Amino acid sequence: MLDSMYGAVELGLLYSLMALGVYITFRILDFPDLTVDGSFATGGAVAAVLLSNGYSLWIALITAFLAGSAAGLCTGLLHTKGKINGLLSGILMMIALHSINLRIMGKPNTSLLGLEPLFSSISPIWLKLIVVAICILFIKFLLDMFFRTDLGLALRATGDNPRMIRSFGANTDNTKMLGISLSNGLVALSGGLIAQQSSYADISMGVGIIVIGLASVIIGEAILGARTIFMATLAAVLGSIIYRIVVALALRVEWLEASDLKLITALLVIVALVLPSARRSMKQKSMARKRSAQLAAEASKTSTGGAR
Amino acid sequence: MKKLTWLMLVLSAVLIVAGCGSKANEKGNTDSGNAGGGAGNAEKKTYKIAISQIVEHPSLDATREGFLAALKDAGLTEGDNLKVDYNNAQDDSTNNLSIAQKIAGEKNDLVLGIATPSAVALASNVKDTPLLFAAVTDPVDAKLVTNVDAPGGNISGASDTNPEAIVKLMDFIAGSFPNVKNVGIVINEGEPNAVIMAKKAEEALAKHDIKLVKAAITNTSEVKQAAESLVGRVDAFYITLDNKVVSGVDAILKVAKDKKIPFFSSDRDTVEKGAFATVGFKYYDHGYQVGQMAVDILKNGKKPAEMKVTVPDKLDLILNLKAAADYGIEVTDEMKGQVKDPEQNLIQ
C-alpha cells in the first residue's frame, strides 16, 4: 500500500511540470492549447533517443525542454502570425507532432530498460521523494520569479486584458508566443522525466495528457485556491499529486473495474469544479439567513419600543 | 483553514474506501512457504498472481484466457487456491505506470505482463517477484531480456512472433501466386509490433523480388482510405498484428473482395473473418504456453532466469476456402497439401 503511495507521489511530482505548463496556457494566457498531447510525447521521444545513445540525463532533459519550446513556438506562430484560431492551431501542431515524434525515435516505442532511473541511488525512498520534490519546487519558484518580472507581468496581463497591455506598448503576439513555448517546454520536460522514470517512451504517451493537466490544475485550485501566482503554481503541483494518488487508490479498490478509470477522472474533475461553487452558494445562503434574522430581530425591537 | 478541512475530509473518505478495498487483498496473502514441494502439500497454499494488460483486444484477451486455463489444468483454480488481480490500462501509458507501481507494492507469487508496454513497465518496477511476459513481439528490442536462451534476472516469457511465420507466409504467397509482383500493406507506424513485422515481411518478399508497398494510417477510421489507395498498385494485401488495422479490418476485407485482390493476414481471427490465408497460431495456445511456464515457477520452484523465452511452436498454414471464391482464387491441391492439420485449419 505504502509503496504504491510513494510511487503515486513521485509520478505526481514528475507530472506536475506538465500541470504547470497547462496552467500557463489555460489560466494565465487564457489560451486553450492542445499542443500538449503532442509535445509531451516529443519530450519523451527526444529524451529517450538521447539517453539510449548514452548522453547524460541533463543533456537529454534540456534538449527535451528546448524541443517542446520549439513546438510551442510553432503553435504560437500559427495563432498570432497565421491568424489561425487558437484551438485549431494547437490541434494542427498536435497531429503534426505525431509524425515528427515517429521521425525522432525512428520507431514507435523506445525501451530504456537497464538504465538507472532518476535518483535511484538515493535510499530510503522517502528521502528520494524529498529530493525530487525539492527539484520540482525549485522549478516552480523559478517560474514564480519569472512572473514577477516586467516580462512576466506583461504575459499575465495578456491573458487578462490584451487591449490594455497593448496600450502600454507591450506586444501581445510576442508574449503569447513566449507563454505557449514556455508552457510546452515544461510539458516536454515532464515527458522526458516520465520516459526516464518508466523506462520507455511511446508514441502514444501524450494521448489524453491535456485532460490530466486540466484535472490537476482544477483539483489544485479547488483545494488551495489561486489568489496569488505562488499559490496557483503550488495548486497545480498539489493537484497533480492528488490526481495520481486517487488513481493509485482507484486501482486498489476491489469493486472497481479497470475500465472505470476514465470515469473516475471525470468524476474527480466534476467534484473539484462543483465543490467551490457549492460552498459559495452555501455561504451566501447562511449569510442571507443571518441577515434576515437580524432584520427580524431589529424589527421586533422597534415594534416593542414603539408601543409606548 | 476551511480548505484544509475539506482536503482532510476528501482524503479520509478516499482512504476509507481504499481501506475497504485493500482489506480484501490481505486475505489472499498466506505466508509464502516454499512452493517446491510438488502437488502433495500444495493444497493448503493459496497463490497470488497479478496481471497487467495494456488494452482490451481479442488477441490479448485470448492470451489471458489461455494463461489462466493452463493454471487451471494444473490444479490452480481462481477463487479456490488462486487469487488473480487483473488490471487493464485502457491503452493509457500513465495508467500503465500506476498499475505497475501498484503491483510492485504488493506481495505476489508471480506477475504477468501482456503486451510490450505492460511488460516493460512491470520490468522497471517489479524486481524480486518472478515476472512473465506474453504477446511481446521482440523481447530483446524491448530490453526485457538480453538473451532469449538464458534470460537471467527475474524475467522470462513468450514472444508472439515466430519470425518463421512471416517468412513462411511470404514464401507461400510467392510460391502459389506467381503473378504477384507487389504486396500492399496497411500499417500504423505508431505500433512497434507492426513496424518490426513489416520489416521482416519486406525482407522475406525481397528474396522473391516482390515489393512491399506501404499505406500508413494513424487511426482506425483511416483504414478504408488507405486500402483503397493501394488498389491498382498491388496484387495482394497483407496486414501485420497491428491493433488499429486489425480493429478496422472489415474495411480492407470489403475493398479486397470488391477488387478481387487476395488478402493475407497475420492472425487466425482475420482469416476466420474472411481473409484468405495466414501462417499462424491461436493466441489462446500462446497464453497456455506462458501459463505452463507459470505452473513450473509456482509449483516446481523453477526460476525465470533459467527458462528459455519461447515462441509459438504450433505454426500452420490456415486457409479460408469459402473466402477464396470471393477473391477469385482457385485453391489447388498443392496449396491444401501444405496445411498440416486440415481438420482445424481448412476453414470451409
Side-chain angles (χ1 to χ4, degrees):
Chain A
M1 177 81 193
L2 211 55
D3 278 358
S4 66
M5 278 303 110
Y6 281 132
V9 174
E10 187 184 6
L11 272 184
L13 281 167
L14 298 183
Y15 274 108
S16 67
L17 293 180
M18 182 273 297
L20 285 171
V22 171
Y23 167 76
I24 293 172
T25 44
F26 269 85
R27 283 288 191 246
I28 294 184
L29 279 179
D30 198 19
F31 177 86
D33 182 25
L34 294 184
T35 319
V36 172
D37 275 25
S39 56
F40 187 79
T42 304
V46 169
V49 166
L50 289 172
L51 287 169
S52 58
N53 284 318
Y55 287 89
S56 79
L57 180 61
W58 299 110
I59 291 178
L61 290 179
I62 289 166
T63 318
F65 178 85
L66 293 175
S69 304
L73 188 64
C74 292
T75 307
L77 281 169
L78 287 177
H79 176 56
T80 55
K81 305 295 180 214
K83 300 278 185 278
I84 298 174
N85 163 302
L87 203 57
L88 190 58
S89 46
I91 292 172
L92 288 171
M93 204 55 220
M94 175 178 94
I95 57 173
L97 283 172
H98 181 88
S99 300
I100 293 168
N101 295 342
L102 276 173
R103 281 275 179 185
I104 292 171
M105 285 203 283
K107 52 185 180 180
N109 184 302
T110 306
S111 174
L112 297 169
L113 277 177
L115 280 177
E116 282 294 293
L118 192 66
F119 302 128
S120 60
S121 50
I122 305 173
S123 64
I125 188 153
W126 54 265
L127 192 66
K128 177 177 138 184
L129 270 187
I130 290 172
V131 173
V132 174
I134 289 170
C135 293
I136 299 290
L137 287 174
F138 175 71
I139 295 175
K140 171 196 145 22
F141 286 132
L142 282 183
L143 208 59
D144 291 346
M145 303 245 292
F146 166 72
F147 283 122
R148 285 199 197 91
T149 61
D150 283 356
L151 187 58
L153 285 166
L155 208 156
R156 282 158 66 184
T158 304
D160 291 332
N161 191 340
R163 197 173 289 176
M164 177 202 73
I165 193 75
R166 268 200 297 271
S167 73
F168 289 166
N171 182 334
T172 49
D173 278 2
N174 290 352
T175 50
K176 268 186 194 163
M177 283 192 288
L178 175 75
I180 299 169
S181 64
L182 177 64
S183 153
N184 282 288
L186 286 169
V187 170
L189 179 60
S190 175
L193 284 165
I194 290 289
Q196 214 273 348
Q197 209 267 346
S198 56
S199 324
Y200 72 97
D202 188 274
I203 193 71
S204 66
M205 71 193 279
V207 175
I209 220 76
I210 188 72
V211 180
I212 297 172
L214 274 177
S216 306
V217 170
I218 290 166
I219 293 164
E221 280 179 358
I223 291 165
L224 277 185
R227 292 227 174 94
T228 60
I229 281 284
F230 177 87
M231 282 308 253
T233 48
L234 191 64
V237 175
L238 190 75
S240 174
I241 294 169
I242 290 176
Y243 177 85
R244 283 288 133 211
I245 289 177
V246 171
V247 169
L249 291 174
L251 285 170
R252 306 184 64 89
V253 179
E254 293 281 308
W255 43 266
L256 278 174
E257 290 291 324
S259 51
D260 297 341
L261 270 179
K262 301 250 180 202
L263 181 65
I264 291 164
T265 305
L267 286 175
L268 194 63
V269 176
I270 291 170
V271 167
L273 281 171
V274 170
L275 262 185
S277 62
R279 270 178 13 212
R280 257 199 307 278
S281 67
M282 264 165 60
K283 254 195 204 138
Q284 272 168 344
K285 271 190 187 141
S286 67
M287 186 79 105
R289 263 202 304 276
K290 264 189 206 147
R291 289 288 300 150
S292 50
Q294 257 177 344
L295 286 171
E298 276 173 23
S300 63
K301 261 186 203 156
T302 49
S303 65
T304 50
R308 285 184 196 165
Chain B
M1 213 51 244
K2 267 226 163 115
K3 289 207 161 107
L4 272 181
T5 330
W6 276 104
L7 177 61
M8 288 300 149
L9 267 177
V10 170
L11 273 185
S12 53
V14 169
L15 279 170
I16 288 164
V17 170
C20 300
S22 49
K23 271 211 186 71
N25 279 343
E26 303 304 313
K27 285 180 199 152
N29 268 338
T30 53
D31 57 315
S32 287
N34 184 10
N41 57 4
E43 295 142 14
K44 291 283 174 283
K45 182 170 162 60
T46 299
Y47 294 94
K48 195 164 173 300
I49 60 171
I51 300 177
S52 172
Q53 182 180 321
I54 191 71
V55 66
E56 268 133 5
H57 181 281
S59 305
L60 301 183
D61 293 341
T63 305
R64 197 178 71 247
E65 282 161 24
F67 176 84
L68 292 173
L71 293 183
K72 199 171 175 173
D73 292 348
L76 297 168
T77 320
E78 202 179 342
D80 177 23
N81 56 351
L82 177 70
K83 211 169 162 344
V84 179
D85 173 23
Y86 162 58
N87 305 274
N88 189 309
Q90 305 299 317
D91 213 5
D92 180 328
S93 22
T94 50
N95 291 346
N96 185 23
L97 271 184
S98 301
I99 287 169
Q101 286 180 338
K102 176 197 102 163
I103 289 175
E106 287 170 352
K107 268 195 86 67
N108 284 299
D109 299 306
L110 184 123
V111 176
L112 170 72
I114 300 177
T116 309
S118 300
V120 171
L122 285 173
S124 68
N125 283 287
V126 179
K127 295 293 178 207
D128 41 11
T129 311
L131 165 62
L132 290 178
F133 57 81
V136 168
T137 308
D138 190 342
V140 177
D141 181 69
K143 299 193 179 127
L144 286 163
V145 294
T146 41
N147 178 344
V148 286
D149 292 328
N154 62 329
I155 305 173
S156 185
S159 157
D160 65 354
T161 308
N162 187 330
E164 284 304 297
I166 298 175
V167 175
K168 276 183 180 157
L169 180 64
M170 297 306 145
D171 289 350
F172 172 75
I173 295 175
S176 307
F177 297 86
N179 57 352
V180 170
K181 292 282 166 273
N182 295 301
V183 173
I185 182 172
V186 177
I187 181 169
N188 169 20
E189 301 207 301
E191 279 186 44
N193 52 356
V195 174
I196 294 168
M197 289 176 73
K199 207 167 136 198
K200 282 185 177 142
E202 197 165 21
E203 286 162 8
L205 284 171
K207 290 193 180 113
H208 302 285
D209 283 336
I210 298 175
K211 274 234 281 289
L212 189 71
V213 183
K214 284 183 189 170
I217 61 147
T218 53
N219 216 320
T220 303
S221 58
E222 297 161 13
V223 169
K224 186 162 192 285
Q225 203 180 1
E228 281 168 348
S229 76
L230 290 167
V231 172
R233 295 194 290 149
V234 301
D235 316 300
F237 279 129
Y238 166 67
I239 59 165
T240 63
L241 293 169
D242 185 326
N243 291 326
K244 281 198 170 116
V245 174
V246 172
S247 303
V249 78
D250 293 301
I252 307 181
L253 283 168
K254 191 172 179 316
V255 173
K257 285 177 179 174
D258 284 351
K259 307 286 177 197
K260 297 258 184 294
I261 301 171
F263 180 17
F264 302 89
S265 76
S266 296
D267 62 317
R268 186 193 172 93
D269 300 332
T270 308
V271 174
E272 282 173 3
K273 255 188 169 175
F276 172 58
T278 185
V279 173
F281 58 93
K282 282 184 163 170
Y283 264 90
Y284 183 91
D285 295 339
H286 169 68
Y288 197 92
Q289 221 173 357
V290 182
Q292 286 170 321
M293 293 171 88
V295 172
D296 261 353
I297 292 169
L298 294 172
K299 285 197 145 183
N300 311 330
K302 268 202 172 176
K303 297 264 180 296
E306 60 217 22
M307 296 170 97
K308 269 188 187 178
V309 174
T310 54
V311 290
D313 49 5
K314 290 185 181 171
L315 281 187
D316 195 2
L317 180 66
I318 303 162
L319 298 179
N320 187 333
L321 302 181
K322 209 166 71 206
D326 294 335
Y327 302 112
I329 299 171
E330 198 181 320
V331 184
T332 59
D333 288 341
E334 190 265 335
M335 286 185 201
K336 285 184 193 170
Q338 295 181 45
V339 181
K340 291 179 209 152
D341 183 1
E343 275 295 293
Q344 279 280 325
N345 297 334
L346 280 179
I347 298 159
Q348 300 292 344

